[in-house]
Coordinates of all heavy atoms in Angstrom, one line a residue:
M14 N -41.0 24.2 -4.0 CA -40.1 23.0 -3.9 C -40.2 22.3 -2.6 O -40.3 22.9 -1.5 CB -38.7 23.6 -4.0 CG -37.6 22.5 -3.9 SD -35.9 23.1 -4.3 CE -35.9 23.1 -6.0
K15 N -40.2 21.0 -2.6 CA -40.3 20.2 -1.4 C -38.9 19.9 -0.9 O -38.0 19.9 -1.6 CB -41.1 18.9 -1.7 CG -42.6 19.1 -2.0 CD -43.3 17.7 -2.3 CE -42.9 17.2 -3.6 NZ -43.6 16.1 -4.0
C16 N -38.9 19.5 0.4 CA -37.6 19.1 1.0 C -36.9 18.0 0.2 O -35.7 18.0 0.0 CB -37.8 18.7 2.5 SG -38.4 20.1 3.5
S17 N -37.7 17.0 -0.2 CA -37.1 15.9 -1.0 C -36.4 16.4 -2.2 O -35.3 15.9 -2.6 CB -38.1 14.9 -1.3 OG -39.2 15.4 -2.0
E18 N -37.1 17.4 -2.9 CA -36.5 17.9 -4.1 C -35.2 18.8 -3.8 O -34.2 18.7 -4.5 CB -37.5 18.8 -4.8 CG -38.7 18.0 -5.4 CD -39.8 18.9 -5.8 OE1 -40.1 19.9 -5.1 OE2 -40.5 18.6 -6.8
F19 N -35.3 19.5 -2.7 CA -34.2 20.3 -2.3 C -33.0 19.4 -2.0 O -31.9 19.6 -2.5 CB -34.5 21.0 -1.0 CG -33.4 21.8 -0.5 CD1 -33.1 23.1 -0.9 CD2 -32.5 21.2 0.4 CE1 -32.0 23.8 -0.4 CE2 -31.4 21.9 0.9 CZ -31.2 23.2 0.5
L20 N -33.2 18.3 -1.3 CA -32.1 17.4 -0.9 C -31.6 16.7 -2.2 O -30.4 16.4 -2.3 CB -32.6 16.3 0.1 CG -33.0 16.9 1.4 CD1 -33.7 15.9 2.3 CD2 -31.8 17.4 2.2
H21 N -32.5 16.5 -3.1 CA -32.0 15.8 -4.4 C -31.0 16.7 -5.1 O -30.1 16.2 -5.7 CB -33.3 15.6 -5.2 CG -32.9 14.8 -6.5 ND1 -32.6 13.5 -6.5 CD2 -32.9 15.3 -7.8 CE1 -32.3 13.2 -7.8 NE2 -32.5 14.2 -8.6
E22 N -31.3 18.0 -5.0 CA -30.4 19.0 -5.8 C -29.3 19.6 -5.0 O -28.4 20.3 -5.5 CB -31.3 20.1 -6.3 CG -32.4 19.7 -7.3 CD -31.8 19.3 -8.6 OE1 -30.6 19.4 -8.9 OE2 -32.7 18.8 -9.5
L23 N -29.3 19.3 -3.7 CA -28.4 19.9 -2.8 C -26.9 19.8 -3.2 O -26.2 20.8 -3.3 CB -28.5 19.4 -1.3 CG -27.6 20.0 -0.3 CD1 -27.7 21.5 -0.2 CD2 -27.8 19.4 1.0
T24 N -26.5 18.6 -3.5 CA -25.1 18.4 -3.8 C -24.7 19.1 -5.1 O -23.6 19.6 -5.3 CB -24.7 16.9 -3.9 OG1 -25.6 16.2 -4.7 CG2 -24.7 16.3 -2.5
N25 N -25.7 19.1 -6.1 CA -25.4 19.9 -7.3 C -25.3 21.4 -7.0 O -24.4 22.0 -7.6 CB -26.6 19.7 -8.3 CG -26.6 18.3 -8.9 OD1 -25.6 17.6 -8.9 ND2 -27.8 17.8 -9.2
Y26 N -26.1 21.8 -6.1 CA -26.0 23.2 -5.7 C -24.7 23.5 -5.1 O -24.0 24.5 -5.5 CB -27.2 23.5 -4.7 CG -27.1 24.9 -4.1 CD1 -27.3 26.0 -4.9 CD2 -26.9 25.0 -2.7 CE1 -27.3 27.3 -4.3 CE2 -26.9 26.3 -2.1 CZ -27.1 27.4 -2.9 OH -27.0 28.7 -2.4
L27 N -24.2 22.7 -4.2 CA -22.9 22.9 -3.6 C -21.8 22.8 -4.5 O -20.7 23.4 -4.4 CB -22.8 22.0 -2.3 CG -23.8 22.3 -1.2 CD1 -23.7 21.3 -0.1 CD2 -23.6 23.7 -0.6
D28 N -22.0 21.9 -5.5 CA -20.9 21.7 -6.5 C -20.9 22.9 -7.5 O -20.0 23.0 -8.4 CB -21.1 20.4 -7.3 CG -20.7 19.2 -6.5 OD1 -20.0 19.4 -5.5 OD2 -21.1 18.1 -6.8
G29 N -22.0 23.7 -7.5 CA -22.1 24.9 -8.4 C -22.4 24.5 -9.8 O -22.1 25.2 -10.7
V30 N -23.1 23.4 -10.0 CA -23.4 23.0 -11.4 C -24.9 23.1 -11.7 O -25.4 22.6 -12.7 CB -23.0 21.5 -11.6 CG1 -21.5 21.3 -11.4 CG2 -23.7 20.5 -10.6
L31 N -25.7 23.8 -10.9 CA -27.1 24.0 -11.2 C -27.3 25.2 -12.2 O -26.6 26.1 -12.2 CB -27.8 24.3 -9.9 CG -28.2 23.2 -9.0 CD1 -29.0 23.7 -7.8 CD2 -29.0 22.1 -9.7
D32 N -28.4 25.1 -12.9 CA -28.8 26.2 -13.7 C -29.4 27.3 -12.8 O -29.8 27.0 -11.6 CB -29.8 25.8 -14.8 CG -31.1 25.2 -14.2 OD1 -31.1 24.0 -13.9 OD2 -32.0 26.0 -13.9
E33 N -29.5 28.5 -13.3 CA -29.9 29.7 -12.5 C -31.3 29.5 -11.8 O -31.5 29.8 -10.7 CB -29.8 30.9 -13.3 CG -29.6 32.2 -12.6 CD -28.4 32.2 -11.7 OE1 -27.3 31.6 -12.1 OE2 -28.4 32.8 -10.6
K34 N -32.2 29.0 -12.6 CA -33.6 28.8 -12.1 C -33.7 27.9 -10.9 O -34.3 28.2 -9.9 CB -34.4 28.3 -13.3 CG -35.9 28.2 -13.0 CD -36.7 27.8 -14.2 CE -38.1 27.4 -13.9 NZ -38.2 26.1 -13.2
T35 N -33.0 26.7 -11.0 CA -33.1 25.8 -9.9 C -32.3 26.3 -8.7 O -32.8 26.2 -7.6 CB -32.4 24.5 -10.4 OG1 -32.9 24.1 -11.6 CG2 -32.7 23.3 -9.4
K36 N -31.3 27.1 -9.0 CA -30.5 27.7 -7.9 C -31.4 28.6 -7.1 O -31.4 28.6 -5.9 CB -29.3 28.4 -8.5 CG -28.2 28.6 -7.5 CD -27.0 29.1 -8.3 CE -26.4 30.3 -7.5 NZ -25.3 30.9 -8.3
V37 N -32.1 29.5 -7.8 CA -33.0 30.4 -7.1 C -34.1 29.7 -6.3 O -34.4 30.1 -5.2 CB -33.6 31.4 -8.2 CG1 -34.8 32.2 -7.6 CG2 -32.6 32.3 -8.8
E38 N -34.6 28.6 -6.9 CA -35.6 27.8 -6.1 C -35.0 27.2 -4.9 O -35.7 27.2 -3.8 CB -36.2 26.7 -7.0 CG -37.1 27.2 -8.1 CD -37.6 26.1 -9.0 OE1 -37.5 25.0 -8.7 OE2 -38.0 26.5 -10.1
L39 N -33.8 26.8 -4.9 CA -33.1 26.2 -3.8 C -32.9 27.3 -2.7 O -33.2 27.1 -1.5 CB -31.8 25.6 -4.1 CG -31.8 24.2 -4.9 CD1 -30.4 23.7 -5.0 CD2 -32.6 23.2 -4.1
E40 N -32.4 28.4 -3.2 CA -32.2 29.5 -2.2 C -33.5 30.0 -1.6 O -33.5 30.4 -0.4 CB -31.4 30.6 -2.9 CG -29.9 30.3 -3.0 CD -29.2 31.1 -4.0 OE1 -29.8 32.0 -4.6 OE2 -27.9 30.9 -4.1
N41 N -34.5 30.0 -2.4 CA -35.8 30.4 -1.9 C -36.3 29.4 -0.8 O -36.8 29.7 0.3 CB -36.8 30.3 -3.0 CG -38.1 31.0 -2.7 OD1 -38.2 31.8 -1.8 ND2 -39.2 30.6 -3.3
H42 N -36.1 28.1 -1.0 CA -36.4 27.0 -0.1 C -35.6 27.2 1.2 O -36.2 27.2 2.3 CB -36.1 25.7 -0.7 CG -36.6 24.5 0.2 ND1 -37.8 23.9 0.0 CD2 -36.0 23.9 1.3 CE1 -38.0 23.0 1.0 NE2 -36.9 23.0 1.7
L43 N -34.3 27.5 1.1 CA -33.5 27.7 2.2 C -33.9 28.9 3.1 O -33.7 28.9 4.3 CB -32.0 28.1 1.8 CG -31.1 26.9 1.4 CD1 -29.8 27.5 1.0 CD2 -31.0 26.0 2.6
S44 N -34.6 29.9 2.5 CA -34.9 31.1 3.2 C -36.1 30.8 4.2 O -36.3 31.6 5.2 CB -35.3 32.2 2.3 OG -36.5 31.9 1.6
W45 N -36.8 29.7 4.0 CA -37.9 29.4 5.0 C -37.8 28.1 5.6 O -38.4 27.9 6.7 CB -39.3 29.6 4.3 CG -39.5 28.7 3.2 CD1 -39.4 28.9 1.8 CD2 -40.0 27.3 3.2 NE1 -39.7 27.8 1.1 CE2 -40.1 26.8 1.9 CE3 -40.4 26.5 4.3 CZ2 -40.5 25.5 1.6 CZ3 -40.8 25.2 4.0 CH2 -40.9 24.7 2.7
C46 N -37.0 27.2 5.1 CA -37.0 25.8 5.6 C -35.7 25.7 6.5 O -34.6 25.5 6.0 CB -37.0 24.8 4.5 SG -37.1 23.1 5.2
H47 N -35.9 25.7 7.8 CA -34.7 25.6 8.7 C -34.0 24.3 8.6 O -32.8 24.2 8.6 CB -35.2 25.9 10.1 CG -34.0 25.9 11.1 ND1 -33.1 26.9 11.1 CD2 -33.6 25.0 12.1 CE1 -32.2 26.7 12.0 NE2 -32.5 25.5 12.6
N48 N -34.8 23.2 8.5 CA -34.2 21.9 8.4 C -33.2 21.8 7.2 O -32.0 21.4 7.3 CB -35.2 20.8 8.2 CG -35.9 20.4 9.5 OD1 -35.4 20.7 10.5 ND2 -37.1 19.9 9.4
C49 N -33.6 22.3 6.0 CA -32.8 22.2 4.9 C -31.6 23.2 5.0 O -30.5 22.9 4.5 CB -33.6 22.5 3.6 SG -34.7 21.1 3.3
Y50 N -31.9 24.3 5.7 CA -30.8 25.2 5.9 C -29.7 24.6 6.7 O -28.5 24.7 6.3 CB -31.3 26.5 6.6 CG -30.2 27.5 6.9 CD1 -29.8 28.3 5.9 CD2 -29.6 27.5 8.2 CE1 -28.7 29.2 6.2 CE2 -28.5 28.3 8.4 CZ -28.1 29.2 7.4 OH -27.1 30.1 7.7
V51 N -30.0 23.9 7.7 CA -29.1 23.2 8.6 C -28.3 22.1 7.8 O -27.1 22.0 7.8 CB -29.7 22.6 9.8 CG1 -28.8 21.7 10.6 CG2 -30.3 23.7 10.7
V52 N -29.1 21.4 7.0 CA -28.5 20.3 6.2 C -27.5 20.9 5.2 O -26.3 20.5 5.0 CB -29.5 19.5 5.3 CG1 -28.8 18.5 4.5 CG2 -30.5 19.0 6.2
C53 N -27.9 22.0 4.5 CA -27.1 22.7 3.5 C -25.8 23.1 4.2 O -24.7 22.9 3.7 CB -27.8 23.8 3.0 SG -26.9 24.7 1.7
D54 N -25.9 23.8 5.4 CA -24.8 24.3 6.1 C -23.8 23.2 6.5 O -22.6 23.3 6.3 CB -25.3 25.1 7.3 CG -24.3 26.0 7.9 OD1 -23.7 26.8 7.1 OD2 -24.0 26.0 9.1
T55 N -24.4 22.1 7.1 CA -23.6 21.0 7.5 C -22.9 20.3 6.3 O -21.7 20.0 6.4 CB -24.5 19.9 8.2 OG1 -25.3 20.6 9.2 CG2 -23.7 18.8 8.8
T56 N -23.6 20.1 5.3 CA -23.0 19.5 4.1 C -21.9 20.3 3.5 O -20.8 19.8 3.1 CB -24.1 19.2 3.0 OG1 -25.2 18.6 3.6 CG2 -23.5 18.4 1.9
K57 N -22.1 21.7 3.5 CA -21.1 22.6 3.0 C -19.8 22.4 3.8 O -18.7 22.4 3.3 CB -21.7 24.0 3.1 CG -21.0 24.9 2.0 CD -21.4 26.4 2.3 CE -22.9 26.7 2.0 NZ -23.2 28.1 2.4
K58 N -20.0 22.4 5.1 CA -18.8 22.3 6.0 C -18.1 21.0 5.8 O -16.9 20.9 5.8 CB -19.3 22.5 7.5 CG -19.5 24.0 7.8 CD -20.0 24.2 9.2 CE -20.3 25.7 9.4 NZ -21.4 25.9 10.3
T59 N -18.9 19.9 5.7 CA -18.4 18.6 5.4 C -17.6 18.6 4.2 O -16.5 18.0 4.1 CB -19.5 17.6 5.4 OG1 -20.3 17.7 6.5 CG2 -18.9 16.1 5.4
I60 N -18.1 19.2 3.1 CA -17.4 19.2 1.8 C -16.1 20.0 2.0 O -15.1 19.6 1.4 CB -18.3 19.9 0.8 CG1 -19.4 18.9 0.4 CG2 -17.5 20.2 -0.5 CD1 -20.4 19.5 -0.6
E61 N -16.1 21.1 2.8 CA -14.9 21.9 2.9 C -13.8 21.0 3.6 O -12.7 21.1 3.3 CB -15.2 23.1 3.8 CG -15.7 24.2 2.9 CD -16.5 25.3 3.7 OE1 -16.3 25.4 4.9 OE2 -17.2 26.1 3.0
I62 N -14.3 20.2 4.6 CA -13.3 19.3 5.3 C -12.7 18.3 4.3 O -11.5 18.1 4.2 CB -14.0 18.6 6.5 CG1 -14.4 19.6 7.5 CG2 -13.1 17.5 7.0 CD1 -15.4 19.1 8.6
Y63 N -13.6 17.8 3.5 CA -13.1 16.8 2.5 C -12.2 17.5 1.5 O -11.2 16.9 1.0 CB -14.3 16.1 1.8 CG -14.8 14.9 2.5 CD1 -15.8 15.0 3.4 CD2 -14.2 13.7 2.2 CE1 -16.3 13.9 4.1 CE2 -14.7 12.6 2.9 CZ -15.7 12.7 3.8 OH -16.2 11.6 4.5
R64 N -12.6 18.7 1.1 CA -11.8 19.4 0.1 C -10.4 19.6 0.7 O -9.4 19.5 0.0 CB -12.5 20.7 -0.2 CG -12.0 21.4 -1.5 CD -12.7 22.7 -1.7 NE -14.0 22.4 -2.3 CZ -15.1 23.3 -2.3 NH1 -14.9 24.4 -1.6 NH2 -16.2 23.0 -2.9
D65 N -10.3 20.0 2.0 CA -9.0 20.2 2.6 C -8.2 19.0 2.6 O -7.0 19.1 2.5 CB -9.3 20.7 4.1 CG -9.7 22.1 4.1 OD1 -9.7 22.8 3.1 OD2 -10.2 22.5 5.2
S66 N -8.8 17.9 2.7 CA -8.0 16.6 2.6 C -8.0 16.0 1.2 O -7.8 14.8 1.1 CB -8.6 15.6 3.6 OG -10.0 15.5 3.5
Q67 N -8.2 16.9 0.2 CA -8.0 16.5 -1.2 C -9.1 15.6 -1.7 O -8.9 14.9 -2.7 CB -6.6 15.9 -1.5 CG -5.5 16.8 -1.0 CD -5.3 18.1 -1.8 OE1 -5.4 18.0 -3.0 NE2 -5.1 19.2 -1.1
L68 N -10.1 15.4 -0.9 CA -11.2 14.5 -1.4 C -12.4 15.4 -1.6 O -13.2 15.7 -0.7 CB -11.5 13.5 -0.3 CG -10.5 12.3 -0.2 CD1 -10.7 11.7 1.2 CD2 -10.6 11.3 -1.3
Y69 N -12.6 15.7 -2.9 CA -13.7 16.6 -3.2 C -15.1 16.0 -3.1 O -16.0 16.6 -2.6 CB -13.5 17.2 -4.6 CG -14.5 18.3 -5.0 CD1 -14.4 19.5 -4.5 CD2 -15.5 18.0 -5.9 CE1 -15.3 20.5 -4.8 CE2 -16.4 18.9 -6.2 CZ -16.3 20.2 -5.7 OH -17.2 21.1 -6.0
E70 N -15.3 14.8 -3.6 CA -16.6 14.2 -3.7 C -17.0 13.7 -2.3 O -16.2 13.0 -1.7 CB -16.6 13.1 -4.7 CG -16.7 13.6 -6.2 CD -18.1 14.2 -6.4 OE1 -19.1 13.6 -6.0 OE2 -18.1 15.3 -7.0
L71 N -18.3 13.9 -2.0 CA -18.8 13.3 -0.8 C -19.0 11.8 -1.1 O -19.6 11.5 -2.1 CB -20.1 13.9 -0.4 CG -20.2 15.1 0.5 CD1 -21.6 15.5 0.7 CD2 -19.5 14.8 1.8
P72 N -18.7 10.9 -0.2 CA -19.0 9.5 -0.4 C -20.5 9.3 -0.5 O -21.2 10.0 0.3 CB -18.4 8.8 0.9 CG -17.6 9.8 1.6 CD -18.0 11.2 1.1
E73 N -20.9 8.4 -1.3 CA -22.3 8.1 -1.5 C -23.0 7.8 -0.2 O -24.1 8.2 0.1 CB -22.5 6.9 -2.5 CG -22.7 7.4 -3.9 CD -23.7 8.5 -4.1 OE1 -24.8 8.4 -3.6 OE2 -23.4 9.5 -4.8
D74 N -22.4 7.0 0.7 CA -23.1 6.5 1.9 C -23.3 7.7 2.8 O -24.3 7.8 3.5 CB -22.3 5.4 2.6 CG -21.0 5.9 3.2 OD1 -20.3 6.6 2.5 OD2 -20.7 5.6 4.4
L75 N -22.4 8.7 2.8 CA -22.6 9.9 3.6 C -23.8 10.7 3.1 O -24.6 11.2 3.9 CB -21.3 10.7 3.6 CG -21.4 12.0 4.4 CD1 -21.7 11.7 5.9 CD2 -20.1 12.8 4.4
R76 N -23.8 10.9 1.8 CA -25.0 11.6 1.2 C -26.3 10.9 1.6 O -27.2 11.5 2.0 CB -24.9 11.5 -0.3 CG -23.8 12.4 -0.9 CD -24.0 12.4 -2.4 NE -22.7 12.8 -3.1 CZ -22.7 13.4 -4.2 NH1 -23.8 13.8 -4.8 NH2 -21.5 13.7 -4.7
G77 N -26.3 9.6 1.5 CA -27.5 8.8 1.9 C -27.9 9.0 3.3 O -29.0 9.1 3.6
R78 N -26.9 8.9 4.2 CA -27.2 9.1 5.6 C -27.7 10.4 6.0 O -28.6 10.6 6.7 CB -25.9 8.7 6.4 CG -25.8 7.3 6.8 CD -24.6 7.0 7.7 NE -23.4 7.1 7.0 CZ -22.2 7.5 7.5 NH1 -22.2 7.9 8.8 NH2 -21.2 7.6 6.8
L79 N -27.1 11.5 5.4 CA -27.5 12.8 5.6 C -29.0 13.0 5.2 O -29.8 13.5 5.9 CB -26.7 13.8 4.8 CG -25.5 14.4 5.5 CD1 -24.7 15.2 4.4 CD2 -25.9 15.3 6.6
R80 N -29.2 12.4 4.0 CA -30.6 12.6 3.4 C -31.6 11.9 4.3 O -32.7 12.5 4.6 CB -30.6 12.0 2.0 CG -31.8 12.2 1.3 CD -31.7 11.8 -0.2 NE -30.7 12.5 -0.9 CZ -30.5 12.2 -2.2 NH1 -31.2 11.4 -2.9 NH2 -29.5 12.9 -2.8
S81 N -31.3 10.7 4.7 CA -32.4 10.0 5.5 C -32.5 10.6 6.9 O -33.7 10.6 7.4 CB -32.1 8.5 5.6 OG -30.8 8.3 6.0
A82 N -31.5 11.1 7.4 CA -31.6 11.8 8.7 C -32.5 13.0 8.6 O -33.4 13.3 9.4 CB -30.2 12.2 9.2
I83 N -32.4 13.8 7.5 CA -33.2 15.0 7.3 C -34.6 14.6 7.0 O -35.5 15.2 7.5 CB -32.6 15.8 6.2 CG1 -31.2 16.3 6.6 CG2 -33.5 17.0 5.9 CD1 -31.1 16.7 8.1
M84 N -34.8 13.6 6.2 CA -36.2 13.2 5.8 C -36.9 12.8 7.1 O -38.1 13.1 7.3 CB -36.2 12.1 4.8 CG -35.7 12.5 3.4 SD -36.5 14.1 2.8 CE -38.2 13.5 2.6
A85 N -36.2 12.1 8.0 CA -36.8 11.7 9.3 C -37.2 13.0 10.1 O -38.3 13.1 10.6 CB -35.9 10.9 10.1
K86 N -36.4 14.0 10.1 CA -36.7 15.2 10.7 C -37.9 15.9 10.1 O -38.7 16.4 10.8 CB -35.5 16.2 10.6 CG -34.6 16.2 11.9 CD -33.7 17.4 11.8 CE -33.1 17.7 13.1 NZ -32.3 19.0 13.1
C87 N -37.9 15.9 8.8 CA -39.0 16.6 8.1 C -40.3 15.9 8.4 O -41.4 16.5 8.6 CB -38.8 16.6 6.6 SG -37.5 17.7 6.1
Q88 N -40.3 14.6 8.5 CA -41.5 13.8 8.8 C -42.0 14.3 10.2 O -43.2 14.5 10.4 CB -41.3 12.3 8.8 CG -40.9 11.8 7.5 CD -41.9 12.0 6.4 OE1 -43.1 12.0 6.7 NE2 -41.5 12.2 5.2
Q89 N -41.1 14.4 11.2 CA -41.5 14.8 12.5 C -42.1 16.2 12.5 O -43.1 16.4 13.1 CB -40.2 14.8 13.4 CG -39.8 13.4 13.9 CD -38.4 13.5 14.5 OE1 -37.9 14.6 14.9 NE2 -37.8 12.4 14.7
Q90 N -41.5 17.0 11.7 CA -42.0 18.4 11.6 C -43.4 18.4 11.1 O -44.2 19.2 11.5 CB -41.1 19.2 10.7 CG -41.3 20.7 10.8 CD -40.4 21.5 9.9 OE1 -40.2 21.1 8.8 NE2 -40.0 22.6 10.3
K91 N -43.7 17.6 10.1 CA -45.0 17.5 9.5 C -46.0 17.2 10.5 O -47.1 17.7 10.6 CB -45.0 16.5 8.3 CG -44.8 17.2 7.0 CD -44.8 16.1 5.9 CE -43.9 16.5 4.8 NZ -43.4 15.4 4.0
K92 N -45.7 16.2 11.4 CA -46.6 15.8 12.4 C -47.0 16.9 13.4 O -48.1 17.1 13.8 CB -46.0 14.6 13.2 CG -46.3 13.3 12.5 CD -45.6 12.1 13.3 CE -45.2 11.0 12.4 NZ -44.2 10.2 13.0
R93 N -46.0 17.7 13.6 CA -46.2 18.9 14.6 C -46.8 20.1 13.9 O -47.3 21.0 14.5 CB -44.8 19.3 15.2 CG -44.5 18.4 16.4 CD -43.3 19.0 17.1 NE -42.0 18.5 16.5 CZ -41.1 19.2 16.0 NH1 -41.2 20.5 16.0 NH2 -40.0 18.7 15.5
G94 N -46.8 20.0 12.6 CA -47.4 21.1 11.8 C -46.3 22.1 11.4 O -45.2 22.1 12.0
P95 N -46.6 23.0 10.5 CA -45.6 23.9 10.1 C -45.2 24.9 11.2 O -46.0 25.3 12.0 CB -46.3 24.7 9.0 CG -47.8 24.5 9.2 CD -47.9 23.2 9.9
Q96 N -43.9 25.2 11.3 CA -43.4 26.0 12.4 C -42.9 27.3 11.8 O -42.5 28.2 12.6 CB -42.3 25.3 13.2 CG -41.1 24.9 12.3 CD -40.0 24.3 13.2 OE1 -38.9 24.3 12.7 NE2 -40.3 23.8 14.3
S97 N -42.8 27.4 10.5 CA -42.2 28.6 10.0 C -43.0 29.3 8.9 O -43.8 28.6 8.3 CB -40.8 28.3 9.4 OG -41.0 27.4 8.4
V98 N -42.9 30.6 8.8 CA -43.5 31.2 7.6 C -42.5 32.3 7.2 O -42.0 33.0 8.0 CB -44.8 31.9 8.0 CG1 -45.3 32.8 6.8 CG2 -45.9 30.9 8.4
Ligands
ZN120 ZN1 -36.8 21.8 3.3

């Protein structure tokens, strides 16, 4: 699974609406990709804050901003080469 695929499924994962197979693939990606781990963690916390204030859904613009910030990070990482195994 690529970072772009991970990010595409991330909100579904956090909403708990993924099928088991995709969920396992996401968790597998999380176990080696630090960038996506951070995004997942940050998004989860953001959702919790929204949930506390009775707003369950993340606003579209926030999703978009998170995604582009992470994609930029991933591009940088590619230039430097893989850092994790
Ligand atoms: Zn990733």
